[in-house]
Amino acid sequence: MPINCKNCPLRRHELFATMSSDDVAFMQDMKQGEQHVAPGTVVFSQGDKPDHLYTVLEGKGLRHKTLPDGRRQVVNFVMPGDFIGLQAGVMGEMRHAVEATTAMTLCIFNRSDLWKVFQNNPSRAYDLTYLAAIEEHLLGDALSRMGQHGARERVAWSLHRLYRRDVAIGAVAGDGSISLPFRQQDLADALGLSLVHTNKTLAQLKAENVARWERRRLFVHQPETLAQIGLVEQLQPETRPLM
Amino acid sequence: MPINCKNCPLRRHELFATMSSDDVAFMQDMKQGEQHVAPGTVVFSQGDKPDHLYTVLEGKGLRHKTLPDGRRQVVNFVMPGDFIGLQAGVMGEMRHAVEATTAMTLCIFNRSDLWKVFQNNPSRAYDLTYLAAIEEHLLGDALSRMGQHGARERVAWSLHRLYRRDVAIGAVAGDGSISLPFRQQDLADALGLSLVHTNKTLAQLKAENVARWERRRLFVHQPETLAQIGLVEQLQPETRPLM
DNA sequence: CGTTGTCTTGAATTACATCAAGAAAAGTGG
DNA sequence: CCACTTTTCTTGATGTAATTCAAGACAACG
């Protein structure tokens, strides 16, 4: 029994921009159902021209690019509320892969309906552009970190970002930890670091009692120390559209 | 005397997707005029909430981010045909600065008209999303290069990309060179390298007679050697919307 | 023609990668 | 539930690509 958009639990969080009830109804109408995928499932492959686009309702995953020489860059981590496949929807094909790390629940949309959004619902069309712009902004940020900062800053920055996002959707356990179901190799591939060096940097943050990542869970003991190390600027809480 | 969109010289190039004459008329109607800016002009500052958006008709520039610690990341190079300010248009404020390196001619649009595009012209609205998606793709690519490759690969990749783009718009001089009016420091900041190392890498490519960059002009003597070094995959010629 | 910005080159230093090998988890099948 | 295998994590030692420092040459500019 799929969730009704009106009651979508994600919508409650402040992270997501409020929608008019018309827009909610519109989305409900476009929603084709839900899909559950197992951990490790490749939702999109690089080069895919998929028929469906998805909003992530539950679970976490990775976006990554495979380069001509076989190396892998993790472009982003996929979190609940993310809309995936827009790039292919608009450009024709996926330029990166999306892989589920945990089990995921996906809200299904038809790619062919994308055009109808632009024709019939300007405000939702605007939100699609908004989403693409946010993605661009996030990547620009990541690029800057990679280009200008060292391993310690990068690791702290990345952990901080993952933590903030989960806090924003209330995905914090009683012990204050969040789910971080990735391998150190994934973080290394995201930050352009070697596995070994990533490991040593994480060990350092742990020894300083700033943050501890083990058993697929991240404990941030000193959030703003982490922010300091990661050179995170004071940012007004951002909101983003939810499709 | 501003250019009429119908006769816009940029539109002729295959790089840019063809537009219906209705869309051309629509753009013409939105066009507020043209602006000429001198080299060094800051078109947008980071944090700006500008009233205007622009299409670059002539000239080149830089998009860059200033980080909390003062370091600078060049996020992209701005070329004729690029649409700038969309991020602020949709997100409210610029997350990076845009600076003219040469004199530039800009086609002016009102930010307040952006919403009208979504309301009245679905196909142009779609193109805006397309542009944002392309930007995202380019940044993802850049991120991958930075994360996974060494200085030689990065420099070659970047030069190749700049070269390809200018070839696509026919901006190649009789001697086969293109205009590359940046400092080595700018390239270094784009690639996350030090000025010194960037310089030495360029010197190496020059010694190998692959490419030579001097006096603000780039000569690519061996395009596909450059592509090889830069690990550029065979890509079908992409087209992009022109606003 | 001096002043300033950009480029160039060499030498010293360092942050990070690579190599190697063992320890701890996490799966897998009986 | 326990052996067995595989994956992931951890740590030390060594190597190297790229940074930083320093100083001079060249261009551009007023």
Side-chain angles (χ1 to χ4, degrees):
Chain A
M1 59 245 80
I3 296 171
N4 190 302
C5 291
K6 198 159 67 174
N7 308 320
C8 181
L10 287 174
R11 286 184 54 229
R12 298 202 188 102
H13 302 289
E14 288 189 8
L15 173 63
F16 301 107
T18 51
M19 286 165 72
S20 72
S21 52
D22 279 0
D23 283 350
V24 175
F26 183 87
M27 293 313 289
Q28 178 69 57
D29 200 51
M30 282 220 316
K31 180 169 177 172
Q32 301 292 311
E34 283 173 19
Q35 181 158 353
H36 293 268
V37 302
T41 304
V42 176
V43 181
F44 298 122
S45 293
Q46 203 165 322
D48 268 9
K49 305 176 201 287
D51 292 330
H52 299 106
L53 313 179
Y54 307 100
T55 290
V56 178
L57 295 179
E58 276 179 51
K60 287 181 180 168
L62 293 170
R63 299 178 206 242
H64 57 88
K65 265 183 193 254
T66 303
L67 292 153
D69 69 342
R71 304 188 63 158
R72 185 183 79 142
Q73 173 72 34
V74 170
V75 167
N76 212 343
F77 297 97
V78 179
M79 315 278 274
D82 283 358
F83 186 61
I84 58 178
L86 178 59
Q87 201 177 61
V90 83
M91 291 184 56
E93 74 171 52
M94 289 298 289
R95 296 319 242 281
H96 57 254
V98 178
E99 204 177 319
T101 305
T102 65
M104 272 183 147
T105 307
L106 303 170
C107 191
I108 308 172
F109 301 104
N110 282 335
R111 191 195 152 190
S112 52
D113 285 345
L114 193 61
W115 175 238
K116 292 183 193 160
V117 177
F118 283 90
Q119 281 187 307
N120 303 324
N121 194 323
S123 87
R124 291 268 78 189
Y126 186 91
D127 284 343
L128 284 171
T129 310
Y130 200 142
L131 278 177
I134 288 176
E135 220 51 61
E136 181 197 335
H137 164 237
L138 292 176
L139 284 178
D141 222 36
L143 186 69
S144 305
R145 301 293 169 167
M146 304 263 303
Q148 306 303 325
H149 299 309
R152 184 175 162 83
E153 290 79 13
R154 284 189 241 176
V155 169
W157 168 78
S158 186
L159 293 183
H160 184 82
R161 190 138 89 74
L162 290 160
Y163 180 70
R164 289 264 307 187
R165 173 68 185 260
D166 256 10
V167 168
I169 59 171
V172 184
D175 59 7
S177 71
I178 63 157
S179 162
L180 200 62
F182 308 108
R183 296 167 304 161
Q184 294 188 358
Q185 182 69 65
D186 296 322
L187 184 63
D189 286 344
L191 299 178
L193 296 170
S194 70
L195 167 62
V196 172
H197 201 62
T198 304
N199 178 282
K200 284 170 179 166
T201 308
L202 285 166
Q204 200 190 342
L205 291 173
K206 183 170 164 182
E208 294 167 6
N209 202 38
V210 175
R212 173 169 49 101
W213 179 22
E214 56 193 26
R215 310 298 201 86
R216 312 187 118 205
R217 300 205 69 84
L218 173 67
F219 299 79
V220 178
H221 299 114
Q222 303 178 43
E224 77 300 299
T225 304
L226 191 63
Q228 267 174 18
I229 297 170
L231 302 171
V232 179
E233 30 195 345
Q234 227 47 359
L235 22 84
Q236 65 275 30
E238 306 202 34
T239 68
R240 48 179 295 153
L242 176 68
M243 299 309 279
Chain B
M1 57 246 81
I3 296 171
N4 190 300
C5 292
K6 198 160 65 173
N7 308 320
C8 180
L10 287 173
R11 286 184 55 231
R12 300 203 186 100
H13 302 290
E14 288 188 7
L15 174 63
F16 301 107
T18 51
M19 287 166 72
S20 72
S21 52
D22 278 0
D23 283 351
V24 175
F26 183 87
M27 293 312 289
Q28 178 68 58
D29 200 50
M30 282 219 316
K31 181 169 175 172
Q32 300 292 311
E34 284 172 20
Q35 182 157 353
H36 293 269
V37 302
T41 306
V42 176
V43 181
F44 298 122
S45 293
Q46 203 164 322
D48 269 8
K49 305 177 199 285
D51 292 329
H52 298 105
L53 313 180
Y54 307 100
T55 291
V56 178
L57 296 178
E58 277 179 51
K60 288 181 179 167
L62 292 170
R63 299 179 206 241
H64 57 88
K65 265 184 192 252
T66 304
L67 292 153
D69 69 342
R71 304 189 63 158
R72 184 184 81 142
Q73 174 71 34
V74 170
V75 167
N76 212 342
F77 297 98
V78 178
M79 314 278 273
D82 284 359
F83 186 61
I84 59 178
L86 177 58
Q87 200 178 60
V90 82
M91 290 184 56
E93 74 171 52
M94 290 298 288
R95 296 320 242 280
H96 57 253
V98 178
E99 203 176 320
T101 306
T102 66
M104 271 183 147
T105 307
L106 303 170
C107 191
I108 308 172
F109 302 104
N110 282 335
R111 191 194 152 191
S112 52
D113 284 345
L114 191 61
W115 175 238
K116 293 183 191 159
V117 176
F118 283 89
Q119 282 188 308
N120 303 325
N121 193 324
S123 87
R124 289 270 79 190
Y126 186 91
D127 284 343
L128 284 171
T129 310
Y130 199 142
L131 278 177
I134 287 176
E135 221 50 62
E136 181 197 336
H137 164 236
L138 291 176
L139 284 178
D141 223 35
L143 186 67
S144 306
R145 301 294 169 164
M146 304 264 301
Q148 305 303 325
H149 300 309
R152 184 175 161 83
E153 290 80 12
R154 285 190 240 175
V155 169
W157 168 78
S158 186
L159 294 183
H160 184 81
R161 191 138 89 71
L162 290 159
Y163 181 70
R164 289 264 307 188
R165 174 67 185 262
D166 256 9
V167 168
I169 59 171
V172 184
D175 59 5
S177 72
I178 64 158
S179 161
L180 201 62
F182 308 108
R183 297 167 303 160
Q184 295 187 356
Q185 182 70 64
D186 296 321
L187 184 62
D189 286 345
L191 299 177
L193 295 169
S194 70
L195 167 63
V196 173
H197 200 60
T198 303
N199 177 283
K200 284 170 180 166
T201 307
L202 286 166
Q204 199 189 345
L205 291 173
K206 183 170 166 183
E208 293 166 7
N209 202 39
V210 176
R212 173 170 49 102
W213 179 23
E214 55 193 28
R215 309 296 202 84
R216 313 188 116 204
R217 300 204 69 84
L218 174 67
F219 299 80
V220 178
H221 299 114
Q222 304 178 44
E224 73 299 302
T225 304
L226 190 63
Q228 268 173 20
I229 297 170
L231 302 171
V232 179
E233 32 196 344
Q234 227 44 0
L235 23 85
Q236 65 277 27
E238 306 201 36
T239 69
R240 50 179 294 151
L242 176 69
M243 300 308 284

